[in-house]
């Protein structure tokens, strides 16, 4: 969500965005122990805590066993233990200084997935700046003994300006061109250079149809209660994941997904001539449109009630709250409204900063006034199911 909002915000300001998707070869296995300890010491971890972490990483050995025959053991001098809680945390601390490479650029890091965003109103300046940042990133990785996988590292250019060719934008590293792509799967969501998410929605439809084939094979052996469980595990999970990002995408694509969802529900619950709205109401199921509304309202509820605390500009600057009941001071009388962001281009229609306030402000006062998270989820779902 941070990535999409970064691209949309840049576009709103009249800037192009170049997104560089960095792939480090065997990132978790390449963390140098000595450098990691030095890094932790720089962050103020000293004394016994540092000794404990050092002991945790040291004296580890590995060997190969084939058909009961073992090789000699060798010490492990790099890598954080995978499958542990501490491993990902240590890796994030190790690369925590990566944004210092270019303070003017936006780094979005999740585990070993690193995305770099540069923006400019001039394509040539954007290209030059991105190349400089990439060179600095290479120098940083050399110092930290990490290897950039040039075959998997890719970049994408986003622009909202029509009739502007971006074909001349190229990046290279060590005399090897970085592959430019129009689609990239980031944390399970397929991003495209137009941000219409058509490829991602097509992938979802394909997965749903495959799951539907599986369901057909076992349908006659299960009852309706089991069918509901299977709906939420095989189908709903695909509709729910990342919906805040792609749920307001190209209307035609979302409608295709809606038709697929209707088909699935008809087959699962053995409905043939039932009116579409009754399909969802009878089974207390949210349509693809209402799933997006549900997730949007849940996010805003958490922000309003300070359940979710974030220092991201998305939360602090875009969501501007106003209380229309200024004459009353009690919390139960507050009906938080949100000041909508102004849309300067069509990309903003897919930005939660734009559609989020609209959806929230259309909720009934009694819903916006609820303070219990559990109660809000229950009443919100009932409201949206009836609405659909």
């Amino acid at each position: 969500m941070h990535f999409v909002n970064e691209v949309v915000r840049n576009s709103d300001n009249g800037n192009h965005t170049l997104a560089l998707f960095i792939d480090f070869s065997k990132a978790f296995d390449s963390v140098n122990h000595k450098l990691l300890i030095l890094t932790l010491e720089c962050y103020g971890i000293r004394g016994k805590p540092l000794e404990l972490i050092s002991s945790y990483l040291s004296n580890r050995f590995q060997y190969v066993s084939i058909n009961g025959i073992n090789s000699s053991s060798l010490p492990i001098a790099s890598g954080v233990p995978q499958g542990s809680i501490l491993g990902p945390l240590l890796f994030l601390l190790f690369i925590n200084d990566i944004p210092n490479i270019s303070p003017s650029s936006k780094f979005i890091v999740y585990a070993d997935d690193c995305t770099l965003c540069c923006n400019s109103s001039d394509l040539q300046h954007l290209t030059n700046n991105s190349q400089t940042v990439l060179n600095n990133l290479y120098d940083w990785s050399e110092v930290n003994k990490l290897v950039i996988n040039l075959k998997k590292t890719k970049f994408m250019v986003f622009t909202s300006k029509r009739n502007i060719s971006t074909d001349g934008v190229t990046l290279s590293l060590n005399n090897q061109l970085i592959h430019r792509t129009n689609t990239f799967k980031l944390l399970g969501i397929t991003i495209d250079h137009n941000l219409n998410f058509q490829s991602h929605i097509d992938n979802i439809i394909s997965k749903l149809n495959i799951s539907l084939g599986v369901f057909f094979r076992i349908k006659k052996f299960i009852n309706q209660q089991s069918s509901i469980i299977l709906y939420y595990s095989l189908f709903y999970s695909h509709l729910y994941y990342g919906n805040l990002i792609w749920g307001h995408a190209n209307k035609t694509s979302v409608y295709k997904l809606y038709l697929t969802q209707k088909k699935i529900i008809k087959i699962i619950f053995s409905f043939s001539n039932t009116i579409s709205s009754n399909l969802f109401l009878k089974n207390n199921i949210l349509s693809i449109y209402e799933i997006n509304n549900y997730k949007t309202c849940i996010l805003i509820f958490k922000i309003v009630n300070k359940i979710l605390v974030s220092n991201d500009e998305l939360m602090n600057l875009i969501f501007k709250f106003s209380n229309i009941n200024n004459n009353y001071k009690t919390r139960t009388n507050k009906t938080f409204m949100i000041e909508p962001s102004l849309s300067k281009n069509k990309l903003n229609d897919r930005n939660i900063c734009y559609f989020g306030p609209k959806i929230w402000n259309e909720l009934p006062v009694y819903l916006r006034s609820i303070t219990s998270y559990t109660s809000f989820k229950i009443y919100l779902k009932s409201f949206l199911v009836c609405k659909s």
Side-chain angles (χ1 to χ4, degrees), residues 79-107:
V80 291
Q82 298 190 43
S84 65
I85 296 175
L86 202 56
L89 177 60
L90 291 174
F91 179 79
L92 287 176
L93 288 170
F94 185 70
I95 66 169
N96 191 56
D97 64 334
I98 197 170
N100 295 336
I101 294 170
S102 176
S104 62
S105 303
K106 178 77 171 182
F107 283 84

Side-chain angles (χ1 to χ4, degrees), residues 277-289:
S277 59
N278 291 342
L279 286 173
F280 301 98
L281 184 59
K282 282 185 176 182
N283 297 282
N284 196 34
I285 289 175
L286 295 173
S287 71
I288 185 62
Y289 300 108

Side-chain angles (χ1 to χ4, degrees), residues 115-131:
T115 304
L116 163 66
C117 294
C118 300
N119 72 87
S120 176
S121 58
D122 180 75
L123 280 176
Q124 188 58 52
H125 179 267
L126 177 65
T127 304
N128 295 339
N129 183 48
S130 300
Q131 184 63 61

Side-chain angles (χ1 to χ4, degrees), residues 23 128 144 161:
D23 184 274
N128 295 339
N144 288 279
K161 299 178 182 179

Side-chain angles (χ1 to χ4, degrees), residues 193-328:
H193 71 291
N194 291 319
L195 281 187
N196 59 27
F197 296 99
Q198 185 170 336
S199 297
H200 182 72
I201 292 175
D202 288 342
N203 288 338
I204 293 177
I205 293 174
S206 177
K207 290 177 181 178
L208 293 179
N209 286 328
I210 292 173
S211 296
L212 190 59
V214 173
F215 180 81
F216 263 122
R217 296 189 188 98
I218 61 175
K219 182 181 178 182
K220 61 182 179 180
F221 302 108
I222 58 177
N223 56 28
Q224 184 161 323
Q225 185 61 36
S226 298
S227 296
I228 294 174
I229 295 173
L230 284 174
Y231 169 77
Y232 281 100
S233 60
L234 293 177
F235 306 102
Y236 183 78
S237 56
H238 294 299
L239 300 174
Y240 192 84
Y241 179 73
N243 191 285
L244 273 178
I245 299 171
W246 53 263
H248 264 72
N250 181 281
K251 291 182 179 180
T252 303
S253 298
V254 176
Y255 183 68
K256 283 168 54 181
L257 187 55
Y258 172 68
L259 294 179
T260 303
Q261 185 189 20
K262 282 203 308 181
K263 178 181 70 174
I264 290 168
I265 292 175
K266 283 184 176 181
I267 292 172
I268 287 180
F269 299 104
S270 301
F271 294 138
S272 55
N273 299 319
T274 308
I275 299 174
S276 299
S277 59
N278 291 342
L279 286 173
F280 301 98
L281 184 59
K282 282 185 176 182
N283 297 282
N284 196 34
I285 289 175
L286 295 173
S287 71
I288 185 62
Y289 300 108
E290 302 308 335
I291 290 174
N292 183 262
N293 291 343
Y294 178 80
K295 293 199 70 174
T296 300
C297 292
I298 290 295
L299 174 64
I300 296 177
F301 177 88
K302 290 180 178 179
I303 299 169
V304 170
N305 292 276
K306 298 181 180 179
I307 298 173
L308 176 67
V309 179
S310 173
N311 60 0
D312 188 77
E313 306 89 36
L314 166 68
M315 312 305 180
N316 294 334
L317 300 180
I318 305 301
F319 288 148
K320 302 173 183 177
F321 299 99
S322 60
N323 181 12
I324 61 174
N325 288 331
N326 292 320
N327 296 328
Y328 301 94

